[in-house]
Amino acid sequence: RMCANRVLEWEWGKLRIDGREYKDAKVWHDGQGEGSEEWDWRVDGTRHGSGVTQSAVEELVRRRPDHLIVTRGVDLKLMVPETLVESIAKRGIRCHVLQTEAAVALMNTMMKDGKRVAGVFHSTC
């Protein structure tokens, strides 16, 4: 059972959810459960210029959410390649590419509404 009272909070350089604090985070709220973890760009090769990588979202995509939120950062410095959005869509998942504050707001609305949603969130630029 998923908690409809989960809230993702953001401030510059920090994301908070589930009693944990992250710089960048992966968050999921789906039919398989809910959780969060640090999003470590060094592991998946994400860079501001080249953008979010497929491996950054693959674990979340495998959870088969209906929606996947991908943040571009607060100042939209993080690129999201069109090929990534297309590969997510081909798997039947609606991809939302948003600025951080808008992404956090959408995640919170979707969690409250009990939607199957996951996302990667960048807390700075």
Side-chain angles (χ1 to χ4, degrees), residues 7-11 14-16 69 71 98-111 121-122:
V7 176
L8 176 61
E9 299 174 314
W10 167 83
E11 67 181 76
K14 293 179 188 156
L15 291 151
R16 284 186 217 77
I69 299 169
T71 59
L98 298 166
Q99 185 267 358
T100 298
E101 289 164 287
V104 167
L106 181 60
M107 184 73 181
N108 285 331
T109 297
M110 287 190 169
M111 287 191 298
F121 298 87
H122 180 40

Side-chain angles (χ1 to χ4, degrees), residues 1-6 29-35 111-112 114:
R1 175 159 153 63
M2 294 186 298
C3 177
N5 296 331
R6 279 179 97 201
H29 190 88
D30 57 42
Q32 299 174 53
E34 57 189 39
M111 287 191 298
K112 183 177 178 229

Side-chain angles (χ1 to χ4, degrees), residues 12-25:
W12 185 268
K14 293 179 188 156
L15 291 151
R16 284 186 217 77
I17 192 166
D18 304 329
R20 298 185 180 122
E21 187 171 282
Y22 307 103
K23 179 184 181 288
D24 298 311

Side-chain angles (χ1 to χ4, degrees), residues 37-54:
E37 66 185 25
E38 185 71 35
W39 175 20
D40 186 345
W41 293 17
R42 292 170 298 184
V43 171
D44 62 53
T46 293
R47 300 284 177 272
H48 285 102
S50 56
V52 179
T53 63
Q54 183 69 43

